[in-house]
Amino acid sequence: MKRSTSRSTLSLAACTLAASLALTGCGEGAKGSSGAGSSGGGQTKVGLITKTDTNPFFVKMRQGAEQAAKRSGAQLTTAAGKFDGDNEGQVTAIENMVAAGVKGILITPNDSKAIAPAIEAARAKGVLVIALDSPTEPQSAVDALFATDNLRAGELIGQYAKAAMKGRKAKIATLDLAPGVAVGQLRHDGFLKGYGLAKGDPSVVCSQDTGGDQSKGQTAMENCLQKAPGINVVYTINEPAALGAYTALKAKGREKDVLIVSVDGGCTGTKAVKSGRIAATSQQYPLLMASRGVQAVVAFAKDPKDKPKGYVDTGVQLITDKPATGVTAKGSAYGLDHCWG
């Protein structure tokens, strides 16, 4: 999914083909690390390309890859887009990594469709490519996808919201991501499914896009309250949007009588669950996505028959300190032990 972040200044486009043969020397655009030295003698080379390198979600993902590389004795090189949506930078990173002789590339695509030709070119040269967190379009452009089941994540908080309402009539606001983004649509659809609502159900009285941004989440909530002042359930695409919604509700004195549910499980969001600003969230695990991805590349390097295929679910867990009857969940203490950011 799209994740809002401060922008970092990288230099992917500045790396020449000659420099790409020693990827660790390409300035900030490609960073080398290794669990057993950086000479690469006999080591499996693995590349990790994230959407950005400053967002806490991707920082945790990089940590997972580094830990797995250290355990397995692989050589890890990392790169990122200059900003969320930078497809060109990711294409350059793929080309550089292929030239440097990586056995596999893990990538969170900035543009699910536009990145596909570069990925397919890498695969044609025998490089294993695994998408993390976000699918490519088509999903078959990569060998495998290691990610959260976003439909399930939405379904969990939909089930929770339904149970927490205890039969009261719901007036729901959905604060979504953006049109055409698969992750956002899956979470939205999952929430409706978990709540037992069909598309177009009149219980959903307002829907606004937020881009997953806190300030836009606040504005969206303000707009929804103007349209439907009686809103009592708020679904949000992620926790920044949820905290924006909370701010808008608090300004109206409504923060205690509106149920807010969300998805992601970052540390800031999980703390908001603990404080009661968010009732529940579905937590996902970026560290696990990356560590399992590195393990898969190392296994593939040892035996090409051991090649991951299709979708691999990296897990999701409902987190709340206000349990609802019939809905399995873990508390914020568990969430804080497993959060990111």
Side-chain angles (χ1 to χ4, degrees):
M1 66 170 286
K2 182 178 180 181
R3 302 179 188 283
S4 296
T5 181
S6 59
R7 309 310 185 197
S8 59
T9 304
L10 306 175
S11 303
L12 285 172
C15 295
T16 64
L17 179 61
S20 74
L21 296 175
L23 211 61
T24 60
C26 288
E28 295 181 12
K31 303 174 183 178
S33 61
S34 173
S38 59
S39 64
Q43 293 176 296
T44 298
K45 295 182 179 181
V46 184
L48 171 68
I49 305 170
T50 52
K51 292 183 179 181
T52 69
D53 67 353
T54 55
N55 185 299
F57 187 89
F58 301 124
V59 171
K60 181 61 70 172
M61 187 175 281
R62 187 168 66 245
Q63 289 174 358
E66 289 169 347
Q67 291 169 8
K70 184 175 181 179
R71 288 193 301 268
S72 61
Q75 180 182 344
L76 177 71
T77 298
T78 65
K82 297 177 184 178
F83 51 86
D84 203 336
D86 177 20
N87 180 69
E88 183 179 348
Q90 290 195 322
V91 169
T92 301
I94 290 174
E95 293 170 347
N96 290 340
M97 288 179 178
V98 171
V102 297
K103 193 65 177 178
I105 294 173
L106 315 174
I107 183 168
T108 59
N110 264 321
D111 188 316
S112 296
K113 190 172 184 179
I115 197 66
I119 289 174
E120 289 167 353
R123 291 178 67 193
K125 294 183 178 180
V127 177
L128 176 70
V129 183
I130 299 173
L132 304 180
D133 182 49
S134 302
T136 52
E137 185 181 338
Q139 187 173 314
S140 59
V142 291
D143 292 287
L145 167 66
F146 287 19
T148 304
D149 183 340
N150 284 290
L151 185 70
R152 178 61 178 160
E155 187 176 3
L156 285 173
I157 57 170
Q159 291 171 346
Y160 173 84
K162 176 74 170 179
M165 286 297 285
K166 298 179 180 179
R168 288 178 291 157
K169 184 177 179 180
K171 293 185 177 180
I172 301 169
T174 68
L175 304 191
D176 298 303
L177 186 58
V181 181
V183 170
Q185 192 63 52
L186 286 167
R187 292 182 182 185
H188 175 99
D189 292 348
F191 171 79
L192 295 181
K193 180 181 177 182
Y195 209 104
L197 303 174
K199 185 177 181 180
D201 191 289
S203 296
V204 179
V205 296
C206 184
S207 293
Q208 295 267 308
D209 292 328
T210 68
D213 178 77
Q214 185 165 338
S215 62
K216 291 179 181 179
Q218 180 177 343
T219 300
M221 190 73 250
E222 290 168 349
N223 292 339
C224 283
L225 287 172
Q226 288 181 352
K227 178 180 179 181
I231 287 168
N232 54 13
V233 176
V234 179
Y235 152 81
T236 67
I237 181 63
N238 65 4
E239 291 137 6
L243 290 170
Y246 177 86
T247 300
L249 288 164
K250 187 175 182 180
K252 295 290 186 181
R254 298 285 317 283
E255 76 276 13
K256 294 186 183 301
D257 58 83
V258 177
L259 184 78
I260 303 176
V261 294
S262 194
V263 178
D264 258 1
C267 293
T268 299
T270 306
K271 289 175 183 176
V273 170
K274 184 177 181 179
S275 68
R277 288 173 290 167
I278 299 174
T281 192
S282 286
Q283 187 172 65
Q284 55 179 337
Y285 303 103
L287 186 147
L288 185 60
M289 294 177 197
S291 62
R292 291 185 66 177
V294 170
Q295 291 166 8
V297 174
V298 171
F300 171 70
K302 291 179 179 177
D303 184 356
K305 294 180 181 178
D306 195 358
K307 187 176 185 179
K309 296 180 181 179
Y311 170 64
V312 176
D313 185 359
T314 53
V316 63
Q317 174 65 54
L318 183 68
I319 303 295
T320 184
D321 286 336
K322 300 176 181 178
T325 302
V327 182
T328 302
K330 293 185 182 294
S332 62
Y334 176 92
L336 289 170
D337 283 341
H338 294 82
C339 67
W340 41 269

